[in-house]
Amino acid sequence: MSSIQLTPTGKLRHFLTIEGLPRDMLVSILDTAESLTSVKDRSIKKVPLLRGKTVANLFFEPSTRTRTTFELAAKRLSADVLNIAMSTSATTKGESLLDTLRNLEAMHVDMFVVRHAQSGAAHFIAQQVAPHVSIVNAGDGRHAHPTQAMLDVFTIRRHKPDFGGLTVAIVGDIRHSRVARSQIHALNTLLTGEVRVIAPQTLLPADVETLGVKVFHSLDEGLRDVDVIIMLRLQRERMQGGRLPSEHEYYQQYGMTTERLAIAKPDAMIMHPGPINRGVEMSSSVADSPQSVILEQVSHGIAIRMAVMSMAMQHNQPDKAPQAAT
Ligand code: CP
């Protein structure tokens, strides 16, 4: 899929998935985000990188963190932002996704940020849009959530920059998680020492080893010598049939508690993409512990989304890296 994401000269055009993107591109996004983090400290929290551009947020699924941080990121880049609540749009009267898109294109939108329950929705839209328009995937079905994975590796890099020396464990509902897939691709592309998944068999995809991970079914075994722990929510909205006995039993076996956290390295980071279900995947004592960087992840989402949007909007401009200090 990288061919549709990159221009013939290797610039970012659309951001749909981490899979297939070169390591240099991921590092460039991380470095650009690093240069943009200081924008939040200015008295006027804005740079003109997207001045004159229009960004439309099309969210066909609920979102708190992703939608608001994309909106803030676009505003900090000085773009005009349209937030289209799909539940109150004409799609509820039978208008197709393509017709909605064509109508918004007629309003000269330059970038669409798309969240959709259907895997491949953002890719489908990317195939239809005019050459100057960019698509950013804000989560499609169980397929990919690439900006979430980038903000996660950005958060890891800020604390533990040597990816080659790290063991990272992703715990929970890997099977239904677009976040986990994107995180695994990002961590492996950045040459992470070891990527583990820890879950019951029923919450793992059939082909999980082919993604380049080590599988554990016991949380206590999987946490040994781990530097970074990423907890995932049980994604009941995508589960078909009974994959779990009960949330109580799941918490007994896979819930992160202070005692279990002590099995990992003493300075292990605790991460979660949100939303958290306290008492299901982790205790409040872990979520709010000094080792937790969960709210830091949310803050970093703004810089990462600024980086992705500014880079994608330069795909048809002469070579020039986005600069914060303009
Ligand atoms: N992490 C994440 O995608 O959260 P939202 O569903 O709130 O956007």
Side-chain angles (χ1 to χ4, degrees):
M1 197 183 282
S2 62
S3 58
I4 190 172
Q5 300 198 92
L6 302 180
T7 66
T9 57
K11 289 183 179 178
L12 190 68
R13 158 90 195 276
H14 303 297
F15 195 53
L16 308 174
T17 175
I18 305 281
E19 194 176 2
L21 284 179
R23 182 171 177 275
D24 285 357
M25 177 55 73
L26 300 198
V27 172
S28 178
I29 292 170
L30 295 175
D31 291 345
T32 305
E34 195 67 58
S35 76
L36 290 166
T37 50
S38 61
V39 174
K40 70 178 186 320
D41 303 322
R42 299 179 178 198
S43 54
I44 297 171
K45 297 178 179 54
K46 276 188 190 292
V47 285
L49 289 167
L50 260 60
R51 189 161 55 199
K53 303 289 184 189
T54 304
V55 175
N57 286 323
L58 305 185
F59 277 64
F60 294 84
E61 268 192 341
S63 168
T64 300
R65 283 145 289 269
T66 312
R67 200 199 63 71
T68 48
T69 52
F70 264 114
E71 180 177 351
L72 268 178
K75 286 179 172 169
R76 288 191 184 168
L77 293 168
S78 309
D80 295 319
V81 184
L82 295 172
N83 288 310
I84 298 152
M86 299 316 297
S87 58
T88 54
S89 78
T91 53
T92 59
K93 299 180 199 165
E95 186 174 70
S96 73
L97 178 57
L98 203 50
D99 282 330
T100 303
L101 185 79
R102 292 277 175 256
N103 279 269
L104 290 167
E105 263 194 329
M107 299 172 206
H108 306 288
V109 170
D110 300 285
M111 175 176 285
F112 292 96
V113 177
V114 183
R115 170 170 287 194
H116 202 284
Q118 199 67 44
S119 294
H123 184 250
F124 170 77
I125 293 173
Q127 288 173 310
Q128 314 295 328
V129 290
H132 72 280
V133 175
S134 291
I135 305 299
V136 179
N137 184 4
D140 63 326
R142 61 171 79 177
H143 171 238
H145 194 348
T147 56
Q148 176 68 48
M150 289 308 298
L151 74 88
D152 294 334
V153 293
F154 183 81
T155 306
I156 294 172
R157 191 174 84 156
R158 284 206 132 200
H159 289 267
K160 298 174 189 282
D162 174 19
F163 278 85
L166 294 182
T167 300
V168 179
I170 306 173
V171 184
D173 184 4
I174 317 289
R175 185 186 184 97
H176 303 97
S177 176
R178 55 195 175 208
V179 173
R181 276 176 186 70
S182 291
Q183 287 167 339
I184 291 167
H185 288 306
L187 289 165
N188 283 329
T189 304
L190 294 170
L191 308 175
T192 301
E194 185 172 303
V195 183
R196 300 180 181 176
V197 292
I198 309 173
Q201 193 62 47
T202 51
L203 292 183
L204 287 170
D207 59 348
V208 69
E209 284 95 349
T210 64
L211 297 175
V213 295
K214 204 165 166 184
V215 177
F216 290 81
H217 297 302
S218 156
L219 183 56
D220 290 0
E221 279 175 30
L223 286 177
R224 281 193 199 112
D225 302 319
V226 160
D227 300 280
V228 179
I229 305 164
I230 304 175
M231 303 302 295
L232 297 177
R233 182 176 65 86
L234 294 174
Q235 287 133 102
R236 292 208 173 271
E237 69 275 22
R238 292 188 209 115
M239 283 186 201
Q240 284 163 348
R243 298 207 164 268
L244 288 170
S246 71
E247 286 185 351
H248 176 71
E249 201 168 321
Y250 177 81
Y251 184 66
Q252 296 297 316
Q253 288 193 46
Y254 292 98
M256 186 60 63
T257 58
T258 306
E259 296 71 34
R260 282 195 162 131
L261 181 55
I263 299 170
K265 286 190 180 167
D267 65 343
M269 295 161 64
I270 275 282
M271 303 177 70
H272 194 304
I276 297 174
N277 289 142
R278 292 169 187 258
V280 180
E281 60 262 14
M282 62 169 67
S283 66
S284 280
S285 59
V286 171
D288 304 328
S289 75
Q291 284 167 261
S292 167
V293 293
I294 294 169
L295 293 178
E296 231 180 272
Q297 289 172 261
V298 178
S299 302
H300 292 156
I302 301 171
I304 280 291
R305 287 165 179 140
M306 287 172 78
V308 167
M309 288 196 282
S310 57
M311 287 169 70
M313 274 293 91
Q314 296 219 334
H315 77 264
N316 50 12
Q317 302 292 316
D319 278 334
K320 192 165 65 106
Q323 298 290 325
T326 45

